[in-house]
Amino acid sequence: QVQLVESGGGLVQPGGSLRLSCEASESIFSFNIMNWYRQAPGKERELVATITSTGVANYADSVKGRFTISRDNAKNTVYLQMNSLKPEDTAVYYCNARRSSAISGTRNYWGQGTQVTVSS
């Protein structure tokens, strides 16, 4: 069973930075895409950033220019560097790994989430 372990969350002041990590229990090359989602209290889970197996990244408009997703294949880890944080970035952040094949279909794997709180 694939395991994803997030770390790096915490309390930070507005304008500050955090780096989230998501370590997978197996090679991240085996996933077509890896994503960071977030869910704020009372809101639906939203997609924040994605990175493909070839390193192509995409971002939600709300974080573009402030967040950077990256991957270290040797460490089986995906990162989310978050700069210029705002109170509205407060949420639980989840790592997601997606694997698709013609035989098995699409499978999603989730981490347990890490809390990010932006407050003065």
Side-chain angles (χ1 to χ4, degrees):
Q1 180 71 4
V2 175
Q3 291 187 333
L4 302 174
V5 179
E6 299 109 331
S7 61
L11 173 64
V12 64
Q13 292 186 342
S17 298
L18 283 174
R19 188 177 80 157
L20 306 183
S21 300
C22 170
E23 184 175 359
S25 59
E26 60 184 75
S27 172
I28 59 176
F29 271 124
S30 70
F31 303 110
N32 301 89
I33 194 166
M34 295 197 71
N35 308 298
W36 284 99
Y37 284 79
R38 67 186 180 188
Q39 187 166 20
K43 295 187 177 181
E44 293 187 354
R45 191 172 295 189
E46 64 170 340
L47 180 61
V48 175
T50 72
I51 189 164
T52 69
S53 57
T54 57
V56 177
N58 281 288
Y59 302 91
D61 287 342
S62 58
V63 307
K64 205 170 289 184
R66 301 187 297 122
F67 290 12
T68 303
I69 189 171
S70 61
R71 55 193 292 153
D72 185 333
N73 296 323
K75 295 182 178 180
N76 294 328
T77 300
V78 174
Y79 302 97
L80 185 68
Q81 178 67 44
M82 306 185 295
N83 299 327
S84 301
L85 282 161
K86 305 175 181 180
E88 51 264 43
D89 295 317
T90 295
V92 178
Y93 284 71
Y94 296 92
C95 179
N96 164 263
R98 188 170 305 156
R99 179 184 290 147
S100 299
S101 72
I103 298 175
S104 303
T106 298
R107 293 188 176 183
N108 280 288
Y109 303 95
W110 293 91
Q112 81 286 356
T114 185
Q115 176 72 46
V116 172
T117 302
V118 184
S119 175
S120 55

